Amino acid sequence: MNLGVGVIGTGAIGEDHIRRITDVITGAEVVALSDINAEHAKKVAATYGAKFYATSEEVIKAPEVDAIVIASWDPTHAQYVIASINAGKFVLCEKPLATSAEDCKKIVEAEIAGKKQLVQVGFMRRFDRGYKQLKSVIDNGKIGQPLMLHCVHRNRVSGPKHTTEMNINNSVIHEIDVLRWLLGEEYKTAQVLVPKSSRLAKNGLRDPQIVLLETQSGVRIDVESFVNCQYGYDVQCEIVGETGTVRLPDPANVVVRSQGVRFYEIFPDWSDRFIEAYDTEFQHWVDAVKQGLVKGPTAWDGYVACITADACTEAREKGTIVPITVPECPPFYQ
Ligand code: NAP
């Protein structure tokens, strides 16, 4: 029997996930949805044969809904995740789990109080073929111990609601999670450098930014965050180890030879760049939920990522190196 999924937020990624659940993966169907933009949500509901609800709370409570996907605006995530936990329903929440570590802590406490893991965070890079290959190279000792990581996270242009904080807590949060997963250790300190801002970054946005992280064992990481790079969506990661290096592959694309130039296109945004990762993530989530389990990134992972993002924000505002203190992981999440 198909898992009945309720989707909160039918914007860019919400609608893409609805298409994915309907047309790409197996074992689930979108039965209910809501969005503050009711007009568009009703159209999406009609296209995919789901029931439109006026509020997200109604979607969470709806009897036909077995599990929830949250793809609404970042500041709404925490309240809907907690409502899903209180309803005893599995929930896949798009990143970030919340916009502050404090709100993530409330989610973790609610989940522990409910005595059942229900929450998965949408850190889909853990399901990306390239990142999985990086992990395999590290874990098999092919480059010795990692020493330095050089990463780039560029978006073509930022949206009207984008803020200076979001370069980190909405964008670099992907690197914060996936690099922690790759290295298998926690961070120790954060520093953020703010170079000259691009004239194309609107509304006083400080863009680009350079995030410098140090792990407990002393691995040094630099992440360039540039959300108005103009030319496309570009994610890079190179790991330098004791005996070699390993680099994230660019996504496969056709090579065009034309007018004296040989080139391949760079994807415009995340939806094509990580399409296979999202598909794998969703199939994996549905299969696990049907077994009554959470097997992907947990609320604890979402919490640790937000602790780190908050430290980066503090580091940028103060212009200093800020220590990152991660509490001991409770047995519930081990
Ligand atoms: P979006 O296109 O702006 O869509 C967000 C939708 O949520 C909009 O339709 C918005 O309506 C709606 N919304 C706002 N407040 C709401 C509320 N209280 N209840 C229900 N719906 C509400 O943004 P998006 O790009 O799809 O991003 C959505 C989420 O996915 C964000 O948290 C983002 O961080 C995450 N995301 C993750 C990835 C990834 O790689 N994993 C990629 C993209 C986005 P209005 O437009 O009327 O405000």
Side-chain angles (χ1 to χ4, degrees):
M1 205 176 119
N2 276 345
L3 187 78
V5 177
V7 177
I8 297 172
T10 55
I13 204 165
E15 190 169 348
D16 201 37
H17 286 334
I18 291 169
R19 174 198 60 77
R20 171 168 292 111
I21 293 166
T22 309
D23 298 339
V24 183
I25 67 164
T26 58
E29 62 186 305
V30 179
V31 292
L33 57 79
S34 69
D35 192 292
I36 210 158
N37 181 346
E39 201 182 322
H40 181 68
K42 281 179 188 167
K43 281 188 199 150
V44 177
T47 304
Y48 290 95
K51 183 171 175 189
F52 167 80
Y53 283 91
T55 69
S56 305
E57 287 75 12
E58 287 172 88
V59 169
I60 293 167
K61 285 186 189 145
E64 70 273 24
V65 169
D66 305 312
I68 321 288
V69 170
I70 299 174
S72 49
W73 195 38
D74 297 4
T76 63
H77 291 186
Q79 74 189 79
Y80 297 144
V81 173
I82 289 179
S84 303
I85 293 170
N86 290 342
K89 294 188 181 178
F90 285 94
V91 54
L92 193 161
C93 178
E94 264 307 340
K95 59 80 204 168
L97 178 58
T99 47
S100 69
E102 203 185 329
D103 279 349
C104 290
K105 187 163 180 256
K106 289 180 192 153
I107 291 170
V108 161
E109 286 168 353
E111 201 177 33
I112 292 175
K115 295 189 171 57
K116 188 171 181 198
Q117 268 193 47
L118 295 169
V119 182
Q120 179 167 326
V121 183
F123 288 133
M124 82 300 171
R125 290 195 192 177
R126 294 189 188 202
F127 299 92
D128 175 68
R129 187 199 303 248
Y131 277 106
K132 284 195 283 195
Q133 287 172 345
L134 293 184
K135 183 151 180 64
S136 163
V137 167
I138 295 173
D139 291 352
N140 291 323
K142 287 188 183 152
I143 58 164
Q145 289 201 358
L147 307 171
M148 296 176 282
L149 278 68
H150 308 296
C151 306
V152 165
H153 187 157
R154 299 188 188 128
N155 295 68
R156 206 169 51 78
V157 287
S158 57
K161 287 185 191 161
H162 193 91
T163 62
T164 295
E165 286 66 40
M166 287 170 74
N167 274 49
I168 292 165
N169 68 20
N170 181 277
S171 189
V172 174
I173 197 121
H174 273 304
E175 273 77 15
I176 289 173
D177 178 71
V178 83
L179 304 182
R180 169 176 173 261
W181 173 75
L182 281 177
L183 296 171
E185 59 170 323
E186 302 294 1
Y187 301 113
K188 190 162 75 179
T189 64
Q191 185 181 7
V192 178
L193 308 179
V194 186
K196 177 177 176 175
S197 289
S198 166
R199 289 174 300 161
L200 302 168
K202 300 282 185 298
N203 306 324
L205 185 69
R206 299 306 308 266
D207 185 47
Q209 300 177 30
I210 301 168
V211 176
L212 302 174
L213 294 165
E214 183 186 7
T215 69
Q216 292 289 343
S217 76
V219 177
R220 291 284 184 168
I221 298 168
D222 52 271
V223 184
E224 176 205 304
S225 164
F226 189 14
V227 298
N228 285 279
C229 79
Q230 309 297 312
Y231 69 84
Y233 182 72
D234 197 2
V235 170
Q236 299 170 25
C237 177
E238 184 189 32
I239 302 167
V240 181
E242 294 165 310
T243 60
T245 73
V246 60
R247 179 183 275 276
L248 191 68
D250 277 331
N253 218 336
V254 289
V255 178
V256 181
R257 288 173 168 81
S258 173
Q259 298 185 338
V261 187
R262 183 181 59 206
F263 66 94
Y264 65 92
E265 283 182 12
I266 297 169
F267 289 122
D269 64 27
W270 39 267
S271 61
D272 278 325
R273 169 64 182 86
F274 283 111
I275 190 163
E276 281 176 28
Y278 295 117
D279 292 349
T280 309
E281 173 194 40
F282 267 70
Q283 189 65 68
H284 189 272
W285 177 65
V286 166
D287 293 346
V289 166
K290 287 175 123 179
Q291 294 169 32
L293 298 169
V294 173
K295 291 186 177 172
T298 64
W300 185 258
D301 295 316
Y303 177 35
V304 174
C306 281
I307 290 173
T308 308
D310 283 0
C312 292
T313 298
E314 185 185 339
R316 191 195 52 246
E317 282 169 4
K318 290 186 175 163
T320 57
I321 299 174
V322 169
I324 299 171
T325 312
V326 176
E328 201 175 322
C329 182
F332 183 81
Y333 289 107
Q334 283 167 15

